[in-house]
């Protein structure tokens, strides 16, 4: 059965007394070996009842529910959207029944329960305790925490395809973020989308007259897609499937009415592609992953929306590439994990329909851009490569018959390499305007007469300009957080050093503005999340700038397994998380100590997600190295982490085992025991601040609870912040501000 817990709204009515259906009812649904908890919350109202649904495994709670028919203690619950029916008999505090969806039937018993907030609600520190902690950050500072972390007054700029409008998100005084439009000719502004309870996570232009946007529920990452016309009409939800996650795959520039999305609508563990009508939400399925076949990890479409390539997982780790030849998907190659082969764009300029631009490191260490014949399965030629870094991609001109405009990649800084004569002129003009500062063309109109340009650096948050090609004018549109003047900001310096086993490592050190040689500063070590395939880069970092403004240095190390440095460097980190990857972080600390920049007795470690794990691992692996730590949504126990992954990660479980460790292999299970901080809390000697989103679908709140509870039993100081309206990281402004204020108080107490 392809189960989707987009169980929508239960109708409530009938003859049963209100007190007999008042409260929460919990049941376990067993589907293909997977047990999924459901909680139905029923509240009597003047007109009957209201109800909501919780799906704890997905971090989803308080999903509005709809229709139940009750008669003679018989209850029938239906959802037309999900083609499901639940029928049962009410007996006291139990409902015995049968769940049916798409022709499949399963027993489901709902029992009265007491609904609680996620996790152990006795553990989090009170608001008063956290306020006292924040108050410890005393001093006269030019900039406040709000200056660095409040949502900019305006941000997320985009040009409409015809260039008639500039859209952006605009902050209310209370922190909410709404979508606005401004006519480029008249500068007339109007509100288009007003944020409700849930954040608008992102938006984009679908055509000249319609904007699409994404929202989830309380940070559960099950994104839904909504649409609205620019005159404010036809505002609707296009993917009304609770518990289902949607991702946009292709925009289809030649089709104003459709886009291609992927959803785990019919199988929670597998995303499948759909053609979506952006006006009424009608969907047409484009490909079905048959039961028993390898799970699909990616789809490749051409510019016309034809599905041409599929990447599916074999052995749970490697990717088998299938390519459509004569109407049939045929095996092309198997790409080992760590190697890469991805179709960036098909090449419409060629008479050969099977010619495409690919980013590949097959046969090389660094990823390069190649022209490739997919039908013959052979490289035509290498178009661009770097000796030191992986190449990221290329940009094509749709107006000029898909001519290559530029290549780009991330080295010590982001690099853009102009290719076409037209773009070389544009780039030269902008370089004349901005000099050696870092700038990018972030968007353009369909006729390519206007470009949206963003200027940034380690000291500039972001400045947006409009370049009019015909008029040859560069006009400033907005500066993000303009009160943060570049001359007051700290410098982010690239560093290179050797690991203890001989690897060349890269990273960044941020020293406070006005730093004088010989000063030994308190240091905050900030390992990045991921951990695989991502990296820290050069640019404006509000955390590093906040830390610098308070007199701290910040170290960021791109440890082995980080992306961008070639597959050899990536693979060197497989099975080394918490071990050699952690050694690399420590070697970075040794390097900056030897440079004379920092005080070796005043080192804190702070990070989020994998970075939060690195905090906990560091404080158990080398407990005397750190004066304190801040764990932000970090893993504490690798065993429970593996057991609580969201359903759509199931197909990646073997991959997760390869990156981290495999608990079914005794030797690797022993390593998991060794590097799971929750199993070694007795080694943590120094104060720790733990921060968690209650609805986090990636790092379950139990991960944070168990480390807090264990440490407190040993008498270790552990302030604990939990936000019950957040997921994996804090998206809401008020929560971010609470976090950083409390963290600065914690650091002030233990680093100075």
């Amino acid at each position: 059965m392809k189960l989707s817990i987009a169980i929508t709204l239960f109708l409530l009515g009938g003859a049963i007394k209100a007190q007999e259906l008042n409260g929460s009812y919990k049941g376990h649904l067993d589907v293909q070996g997977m047990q999924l908890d459901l909680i139905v919350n029923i509240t009597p109202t003047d007109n009957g009842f209201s109800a909501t649904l919780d799906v704890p495994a997905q971090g989803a709670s308080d999903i509005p529910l709809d229709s139940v028919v009750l008669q003679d203690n018989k209850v029938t619950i239906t959802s037309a959207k999900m083609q499901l029916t639940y029928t049962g008999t009410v007996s006291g505090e139990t409902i015995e029944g049968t769940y049916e969806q798409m022709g499949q039937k399963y027993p489901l018993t709902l029992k009265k329960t007491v609904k609680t907030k996620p996790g152990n609600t006795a553990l989090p520190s009170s608001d008063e305790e956290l306020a006292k902690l924040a108050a410890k950050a005393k001093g006269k500072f030019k900039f406040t925490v709000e200056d660095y972390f409040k949502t900019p007054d305006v941000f997320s700029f985009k040009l409409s395809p015809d260039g008639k409008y500039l859209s952006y998100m605009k902050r209310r005084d209370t922190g909410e973020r709404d979508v606005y439009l401004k006519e480029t000719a008249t500068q007339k502004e109007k509100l288009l989308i007003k944020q409700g309870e849930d954040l608008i996570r992102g938006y984009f232009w679908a055509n000249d007259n319609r904007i699409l946007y994404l929202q989830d529920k309380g940070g559960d990452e099950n994104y839904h897609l909504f649409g609205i016309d620019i005159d404010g009409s036809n505002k609707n939800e296009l993917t009304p499937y609770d518990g289902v996650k949607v991702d946009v795959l292709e925009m289809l520039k030649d089709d104003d009415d459709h886009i291609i999305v992927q959803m785990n609508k019919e199988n929670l563990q597998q995303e499948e592609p759909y053609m979506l009508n952006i006006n009424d939400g009608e969907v047409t399925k484009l490909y079905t992953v048959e039961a028993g076949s390898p799970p699909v990890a990616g789809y490749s479409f051409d510019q016309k929306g034809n599905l041409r390539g599929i990447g599916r997982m074999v052995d749970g780790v490697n990717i088998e590439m299938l390519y459509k030849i004569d109407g049939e998907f045929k095996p092309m190659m198997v790409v080992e994990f760590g190697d890469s082969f991805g179709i960036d764009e098909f090449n419409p300029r060629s008479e050969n329909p099977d010619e495409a631009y690919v980013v590949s490191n097959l046969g090389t260490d660094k990823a390069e851009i190649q022209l490739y014949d997919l039908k013959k399965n052979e490289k035509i030629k290498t178009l661009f490569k770097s000796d030191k870094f992986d190449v990221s991609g290329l940009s094509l001109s749709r107006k000029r018959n898909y001519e290559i405009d530029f290549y780009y990649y991330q080295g010590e800084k982001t690099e853009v390499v102009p290719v076409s004569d037209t773009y070389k002129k544009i780039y030269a003009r902008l370089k004349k305007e901005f000099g050696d500062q870092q700038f990018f063309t972030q968007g353009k109109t369909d006729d390519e007469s206007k470009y949206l340009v963003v200027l940034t650096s380690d000291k500039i948050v972001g400045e947006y300009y409009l370049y009019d090609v015909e008029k040859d004018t560069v006009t400033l549109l907005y500066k993000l957080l303009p009160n943060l003047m570049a001359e007051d900001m700290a410098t982010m310096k690239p560093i290179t050093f050797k690991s203890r086993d001989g690897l060349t490592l890269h990273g960044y050190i941020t020293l406070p503005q006005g730093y004088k040689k010989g000063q030994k500063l308190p240091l905050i070590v900030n390992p990045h999340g991921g951990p695989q395939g991502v990296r820290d880069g050069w640019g404006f970092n509000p955390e590093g700038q906040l830390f610098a403004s308070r007199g701290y240095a910040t170290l960021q190390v791109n440890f082995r397994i980080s992306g961008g440095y070639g597959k050899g460097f990536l693979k060197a980190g497989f099975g080394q998380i918490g071990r050699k990857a952690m050694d690399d972080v420590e070697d970075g600390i040794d390097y900056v100590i030897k440079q004379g920049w920092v005080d070796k007795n005043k080192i804190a470690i702070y990070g989020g997600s994998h970075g939060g794990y690195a905090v906990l691992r560091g404080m158990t692996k080398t407990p005397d190295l750190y004066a304190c730590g801040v764990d932000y949504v970090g893993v504490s126990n690798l065993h429970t982490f593996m057991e609580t992954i969201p359903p759509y990660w199931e197909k990646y479980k073997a991959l997760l085992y390869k990156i981290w460790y495999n608990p079914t292999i005794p030797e690797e299970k022993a390593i998991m025991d060794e590097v799971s901080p929750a199993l070694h809390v007795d080694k943590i000697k120094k104060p720790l601040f733990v921060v968690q989103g209650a609805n986090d679908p990636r790092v379950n709140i139990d991960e944070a609870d168990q480390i807090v509870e264990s440490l407190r039993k040993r008498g270790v100081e552990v302030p604990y912040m939990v936000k019950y309206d957040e997921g994996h990281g804090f998206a809401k402004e008020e929560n971010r501000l609470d976090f950083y204020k409390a963290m600065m108080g914690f650091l002030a107490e233990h680093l100075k």
Side-chain angles (χ1 to χ4, degrees):
M1 169 183 173
K2 295 176 179 178
L3 170 68
S4 175
I5 300 303
I7 305 175
T8 49
L9 307 176
F10 295 6
L11 279 167
L12 297 174
I16 281 192
K17 296 178 182 179
Q19 64 267 25
E20 293 180 347
L21 282 180
N22 181 11
S24 298
Y25 296 80
K26 183 176 182 179
H28 310 287
L29 197 63
D30 291 305
V31 181
Q32 296 179 340
M34 180 180 71
Q35 186 176 89
L36 201 63
D37 288 349
L38 307 180
I39 302 174
V40 181
N41 311 292
I42 302 173
T43 305
T45 67
D46 292 339
N47 299 320
F49 300 91
S50 64
T52 62
L53 173 71
D54 302 340
V55 188
Q58 298 175 2
S61 60
D62 295 322
I63 302 170
L65 302 181
D66 203 44
S67 178
V68 174
V69 176
L70 301 166
Q71 188 172 7
D72 298 329
N73 287 350
K74 300 292 183 182
V75 56
T76 303
I77 303 169
T78 61
S79 171
K81 290 179 181 177
M82 296 310 302
Q83 303 174 47
L84 66 85
T85 301
Y86 176 69
T87 56
T89 300
V90 181
S91 177
E93 297 185 342
T94 301
I95 305 173
E96 293 280 354
T98 301
Y99 178 97
E100 180 177 359
Q101 185 178 33
M102 298 179 183
Q104 300 290 324
K105 295 183 179 181
Y106 298 87
L108 176 61
T109 299
L110 296 173
K111 293 184 178 181
K112 193 76 174 286
T113 186
V114 176
K115 180 180 176 180
T116 61
K117 292 181 178 179
N120 184 345
T121 56
L123 291 176
S125 304
S126 67
D127 291 343
E128 293 76 15
E129 289 170 328
L130 292 171
K132 288 181 181 179
L133 181 63
K136 294 180 179 181
K138 299 176 181 179
K140 293 183 178 180
F141 306 112
K142 186 169 185 177
F143 300 109
T144 65
V145 170
E146 284 85 353
D147 289 329
Y148 293 101
F149 290 100
K150 77 172 185 179
T151 304
D153 291 338
V154 285
F155 64 102
S156 191
F157 300 97
K158 302 181 192 302
L159 279 173
S160 65
D162 58 11
K164 292 182 180 179
Y165 292 93
L166 178 69
S167 60
Y168 44 86
M169 299 188 77
K170 190 173 184 179
R171 178 187 183 276
R172 286 184 239 158
D173 290 340
T174 48
E176 295 87 351
R177 300 97 69 90
D178 308 316
V179 177
Y180 278 78
L181 298 179
K182 179 178 282 189
E183 295 180 12
T184 53
T186 65
Q187 296 297 294
K188 183 180 178 180
E189 181 187 67
K190 70 173 182 178
L191 170 66
L192 182 65
I193 309 169
K194 187 174 183 178
Q195 178 194 314
E197 179 181 351
D198 293 309
L199 293 172
I200 297 170
R201 298 287 179 165
Y203 80 94
F204 50 92
W205 287 86
N207 55 46
D208 291 335
N209 300 303
R210 190 159 174 78
I211 280 178
L212 307 182
Y213 59 101
L214 291 162
Q215 288 179 302
D216 67 352
K217 184 73 175 177
D220 67 7
E221 299 186 10
N222 288 321
Y223 300 111
H224 289 210
L225 189 66
F226 300 78
I228 186 171
D229 290 349
I230 60 173
D231 63 3
S233 65
N234 195 22
K235 182 179 180 182
N236 55 357
E237 182 174 0
L238 299 171
T239 58
Y241 314 112
D242 291 322
V244 172
K245 180 181 180 181
V246 62
D247 296 297
V248 177
L249 296 181
E250 294 290 336
M251 288 304 299
L252 303 181
K253 291 293 293 182
D254 295 322
D255 184 344
D256 283 345
D257 296 320
H258 297 89
I259 63 173
I260 297 173
V261 301
Q262 69 177 17
M263 295 185 283
N264 57 337
K265 178 174 177 289
E266 297 180 14
N267 182 342
L268 281 181
Q269 299 180 21
Q270 176 63 66
E271 300 91 347
E272 295 171 308
Y274 295 80
M275 183 78 73
L276 172 71
N277 187 304
I278 64 170
N279 301 302
D280 59 18
E282 180 183 0
V283 293
T284 302
K285 197 172 185 183
L286 301 178
Y287 184 82
T288 297
V289 181
E290 300 294 342
S293 63
V296 173
Y299 303 93
S300 295
F301 293 83
D302 62 21
Q303 288 85 352
K304 294 181 179 180
N306 300 309
L307 180 59
R308 304 281 297 278
I310 293 172
R312 62 184 191 179
M313 302 187 71
V314 292
D315 304 323
V317 175
N318 300 321
I319 301 293
E320 181 183 34
M321 303 294 298
L322 305 180
Y323 182 63
K324 197 169 190 177
I325 300 175
D326 299 329
E328 181 182 351
F329 285 101
K330 298 181 179 179
M332 189 175 139
M333 67 175 75
V334 174
V335 182
E336 292 185 6
F337 179 60
D339 290 357
S340 63
F341 181 93
I343 300 171
D344 193 300
E345 297 272 3
F346 283 86
N347 182 15
R349 293 172 63 84
S350 174
E351 295 181 358
N352 178 3
D354 302 303
E355 193 173 290
Y357 301 109
V358 304
V359 179
S360 172
N361 64 10
L362 301 182
T364 67
D365 180 60
K366 308 295 189 295
E368 59 185 35
I369 296 178
Q370 303 170 351
L371 195 60
Y372 204 92
D373 188 312
L374 296 168
K375 186 174 183 179
K376 293 181 179 178
N377 192 16
E378 63 182 25
K379 180 174 74 172
I380 298 171
K381 61 179 176 179
T382 295
L383 298 175
F384 182 73
K385 64 180 181 179
S386 165
D387 293 334
K388 294 182 179 180
F389 305 100
D390 291 328
V391 176
S392 303
L394 74 166
S395 178
L396 305 179
S397 166
R398 183 166 166 263
K399 176 187 176 183
R400 288 177 267 111
N401 191 26
Y402 296 96
E403 181 181 20
I404 299 174
D405 268 346
F406 59 86
Y407 306 118
Y408 59 93
Y409 66 96
Q410 192 171 26
E412 288 187 341
K413 302 179 181 180
T414 300
E415 304 290 344
V416 175
V417 182
V419 178
S420 69
D421 290 340
T422 299
Y423 195 79
K424 284 179 179 177
K425 292 177 182 177
I426 292 170
Y427 192 81
R429 171 67 179 87
L430 295 174
K431 192 165 183 62
K432 180 180 178 182
E433 185 79 22
F434 301 124
D436 292 331
Q437 298 179 96
Q438 187 168 261
F439 62 87
F440 318 100
T441 51
Q442 197 174 68
K444 58 188 175 183
T445 55
D446 282 350
D447 65 3
E448 300 181 14
S449 64
K450 297 181 180 66
Y451 285 80
L452 185 64
V453 184
V454 61
L455 174 72
T456 185
S457 74
D458 57 341
K459 297 183 178 183
I460 299 174
V461 182
E463 299 177 1
Y464 285 83
Y465 295 81
L466 183 66
Y467 175 49
D468 189 309
V469 178
E470 295 176 3
K471 296 179 181 179
D472 194 30
T473 55
V474 179
T475 305
L476 175 65
L477 298 174
Y478 289 97
K479 291 185 177 182
L480 302 182
L481 303 182
N483 58 313
L484 298 180
M485 304 296 290
E487 56 266 28
D488 295 322
M489 297 297 108
T491 298
M492 187 181 198
K493 175 188 168 95
I495 58 174
T496 302
F497 56 95
K498 290 286 187 180
S499 71
R500 65 190 68 179
D501 60 352
L503 272 183
T504 298
L505 299 173
H506 300 269
Y508 301 90
I509 184 74
T510 301
L511 300 171
Q513 195 264 350
Y515 170 81
K516 292 182 173 57
K517 186 176 181 180
Q519 284 183 276
K520 294 187 183 298
L521 304 171
L523 175 69
I524 299 173
V525 184
N526 183 207
H528 65 67
Q532 75 284 353
V534 298
R535 54 161 286 187
D536 285 318
W538 185 87
F540 189 89
N541 184 317
E543 291 182 335
Q545 294 294 343
L546 172 65
F547 298 155
S549 73
R550 271 52 175 173
Y552 306 121
T554 301
L555 171 67
Q556 296 165 284
V557 175
N558 285 324
F559 42 83
R560 70 191 72 201
I561 212 175
S562 300
Y565 299 100
K567 65 185 178 187
F569 190 80
L570 177 76
K571 291 181 177 182
F574 292 171
Q576 292 297 334
I577 297 171
R579 298 196 293 165
K580 289 186 178 180
M582 201 69 217
D583 292 346
D584 294 343
V585 174
E586 295 160 12
D587 292 344
I589 295 171
D590 288 343
Y591 174 80
V592 297
I593 290 174
K594 289 175 182 176
Q595 301 306 304
W597 295 325
V598 303
D599 184 342
K600 66 179 182 179
N601 297 313
K602 295 182 178 181
I603 300 174
I605 183 167
Y606 152 65
S609 193
H610 163 267
Y613 164 76
V615 170
L616 300 174
R617 174 59 178 149
M619 295 183 75
T620 54
K621 181 174 181 286
T622 52
D624 294 320
L625 181 58
Y626 304 105
C628 61
V630 180
D631 161 29
Y632 182 34
V633 298
V635 174
S636 68
N637 185 323
L638 298 194
H639 298 285
T640 53
F641 169 61
M642 299 289 187
E643 293 165 0
T644 57
I645 62 174
Y648 48 84
W649 277 21
E650 280 294 327
K651 61 179 174 291
Y652 301 120
K653 183 172 281 188
L655 196 59
L656 199 63
Y657 290 169
K658 185 173 181 64
I659 294 167
W660 292 69
Y661 305 97
N662 188 338
T664 67
I665 299 174
E667 295 82 3
E668 294 192 23
K669 181 182 182 298
I671 296 173
M672 291 173 66
D673 293 342
E674 175 194 341
V675 301
S676 289
L679 306 183
H680 301 280
V681 290
D682 58 306
K683 296 178 181 177
I684 296 180
K685 301 178 179 180
K686 306 297 175 59
L688 176 68
F689 180 25
V690 178
V691 184
Q692 181 69 34
N695 301 319
D696 192 335
R698 306 188 199 184
V699 178
N700 191 283
I701 191 172
D702 292 340
E703 291 286 307
D705 280 359
Q706 61 183 294
I707 201 76
V708 171
E709 192 167 14
S710 297
L711 283 172
R712 285 182 178 168
K713 285 180 179 177
R714 290 187 50 246
V716 176
E717 178 190 347
V718 192
Y720 184 25
M721 175 182 285
V722 175
K723 296 295 184 179
Y724 288 95
D725 56 350
E726 294 283 9
H728 195 60
F730 294 173
K732 293 185 177 180
E733 179 180 303
E734 63 271 26
N735 294 335
R736 289 201 312 272
L737 295 178
D738 286 348
F739 165 45
Y740 285 110
K741 288 177 181 179
M743 176 165 63
M744 297 317 296
F746 180 79
L747 294 173
E749 180 179 12
H750 299 294
L751 281 188
K752 292 186 177 179

